Amino acid sequence: MKTIYNDLLSLINADSIKTNEPLSNYTYTKTGGNGDFVITPKTYQEVQNVYKYSLEYNIPITILGNGSNLIVKDGGIRGLVLILTEMNNIYLLDKKIKAQSGASIIEVSGFALKSSLTGLEFACGIPGSIGGALYMNAGAYGGIVSDVLQEALVLDTNGDFLTLSKDEMELDYRKSSIAQNGYLVLEATFGLTPGNFNEIKTKMDELTFQRESKQPLEYPSCGSVFKRPPGYFAGKLIQDSGLQGKQIGGAQVSTKHAGFIVNVGSASASDYLELISHIQNTVKTKFDVDLEPEVIIIGED
C-alpha cells in the first residue's frame, strides 16, 4: 500500500489521493464499502498517468462518475478508484458545447439554456455526469444523449487518447461502444440548435416539475433501478406486483415511484441488492418478465 501511495505521489498531487476511503461519500445511495485508493484527478494528463501506471503494474482500476447510477457493494473496491468530478469544465464553441466528463449533465443543460441553445432540455433532471451519460446513452422525457452528441475524447484500454465520432460510439438504448470496449470518457461535444431562451426555459421548468412531482427526490437513491422491458414499464410491473413500499433493511421500493429504491435509513448495499433480487423474482413469478438492472453494480461482497 505504501509503495503504491508513494508511486502515485509522483503522478498526482497528494490532495487528490485518499486511502481506505468510504465510497458511500461518493454514491447517491449513500452506500458502499471503502476504496483502497480514491483518486480525484484534475487534468487529462493526470488521468492518463494514473491509468498507465495501473496497466504497467497490473493494479485494478475502477472509474466512477458522480455515483448517481451506481451501487458499490459493502466490500468496497480494491486497487485504484478514479473519481472524475474535479474535471467539470464546460465550454461554448459556436453552436457546440464541450463538457468534461465530470461535469453534471444537469449543469450542461443549464449552460445550454444560458447560451439559448436547444436540444438538451431533456437532460435538465438527469443526475448523472457527462461520462456516465455517454457510457449509458442516458435519456429522459423523449430525449436521449445520442440525439445531440457529436464526438467524444476518451482513453482507450492502452491508456492512449482517442477521439470517437458519434457513429463510432454505437449508441443504443442504455448501450454504447464506450461501455463495451472499456473506454474512459474525458470530454464530450454536443451539437445544438439556436433557440428562444424563454421557450427553452419553459420546457425545462415543465420537465423539472414533472420530475419533482413524480420522483422521490427527498431520499437518497440510484435513480431508475431497472431498464424498461420491451412492451412494459418496470415501475408499473413492480407496482402491480404489490411491491410498492416493500422494505429490506433501510432500502425501500419508493411509495412515490415504484421504479426507484430509496435509502430510508442507513441502508447497506446488501439491502439494495437483496431488494433488487426480490423484485426480480416476484415480477418474474407474476408476469413472466425479466427485469434487467439499469443501475451499475460493482465492488466486492
Side-chain angles (χ1 to χ4, degrees):
M1 292 279 282
K2 188 174 182 181
T3 301
I4 294 174
Y5 183 79
N6 289 334
D7 288 346
L8 290 172
L9 286 177
S10 68
L11 304 174
I12 195 166
N13 289 332
D15 64 357
S16 297
I17 308 168
K18 293 181 179 179
T19 59
N20 201 31
E21 172 76 357
L23 294 169
S24 56
N25 294 336
Y26 303 91
T27 62
Y28 271 44
T29 59
K30 304 301 180 189
T31 64
N34 291 0
D36 289 347
F37 296 93
V38 174
I39 303 164
T40 51
K42 296 178 175 64
T43 68
Y44 299 161
Q45 190 60 59
E46 288 180 342
V47 176
Q48 185 182 51
N49 290 344
V50 172
Y51 194 90
K52 288 203 167 188
Y53 170 75
S54 76
L55 293 177
E56 182 178 355
Y57 291 97
N58 198 29
I59 300 170
I61 188 165
T62 303
I63 315 302
L64 300 192
N66 66 355
S68 61
N69 189 36
L70 186 70
I71 294 173
V72 177
K73 294 181 181 180
D74 294 326
I77 300 176
R78 306 289 69 80
L80 311 181
V81 180
L82 278 185
I83 295 179
L84 304 180
T85 49
E86 292 291 320
M87 300 195 317
N88 55 16
N89 291 317
I90 306 168
Y91 314 91
L92 179 65
L93 296 172
D94 192 20
K95 298 168 190 172
K96 298 178 181 178
I97 289 177
K98 281 187 179 287
Q100 292 185 308
S101 61
S104 155
I105 195 168
I106 291 175
E107 291 178 357
V108 178
S109 178
F111 186 90
L113 168 64
K114 291 176 184 175
S115 306
S116 295
L117 293 173
T118 182
L120 272 171
E121 291 90 333
F122 73 90
C124 68
I126 296 175
S129 66
I130 288 296
L134 268 62
Y135 188 89
M136 295 289 290
N137 191 21
Y141 299 112
I144 198 163
V145 162
S146 54
D147 291 342
V148 288
L149 184 63
Q150 288 192 337
E151 65 179 29
L153 176 66
V154 304
L155 273 189
D156 66 17
T157 52
N158 296 316
D160 295 323
F161 296 113
L162 178 66
T163 299
L164 299 175
S165 69
K166 176 180 172 178
D167 288 344
E168 289 172 319
M169 284 181 268
E170 299 174 8
L171 298 159
D172 202 348
Y173 176 68
R174 301 300 182 263
K175 292 180 181 177
S176 71
S177 67
I178 292 168
Q180 292 161 0
N181 294 326
Y183 294 154
L184 190 165
V185 178
L186 297 173
E187 182 181 279
T189 302
F190 300 95
L192 304 174
T193 306
N196 178 280
F197 176 90
N198 290 327
E199 290 177 2
I200 297 169
K201 186 176 187 305
T202 297
K203 179 66 173 175
M204 289 172 67
D205 288 346
E206 289 173 356
L207 295 180
T208 299
F209 174 78
Q210 287 186 49
R211 176 172 176 263
E212 290 178 347
S213 61
K214 293 178 181 177
Q215 297 183 12
L217 304 180
E218 63 273 23
Y219 292 107
S221 83
C222 53
S224 182
V225 176
F226 299 101
K227 295 179 182 178
R228 186 178 66 242
Y232 299 92
F233 291 99
K236 183 76 162 56
L237 288 169
I238 296 165
Q239 185 176 347
D240 290 348
S241 296
L243 291 173
Q244 204 154 12
K246 171 68 178 177
Q247 187 168 332
I248 293 178
Q252 181 193 69
V253 178
S254 169
T255 56
K256 193 172 185 180
H257 189 312
F260 287 68
I261 296 176
V262 293
N263 183 348
V264 294
S266 302
S268 65
S270 298
D271 294 340
Y272 264 83
L273 297 178
E274 191 176 340
L275 186 52
I276 286 171
S277 179
H278 179 73
I279 292 166
Q280 289 173 311
N281 292 336
T282 304
V283 169
K284 178 68 173 176
T285 299
K286 287 185 176 287
F287 298 104
D288 196 29
V289 175
D290 294 306
L291 289 182
E292 182 182 352
E294 181 172 309
V295 63
I296 297 168
I297 301 165
I298 59 174
E300 299 190 357
D301 293 324

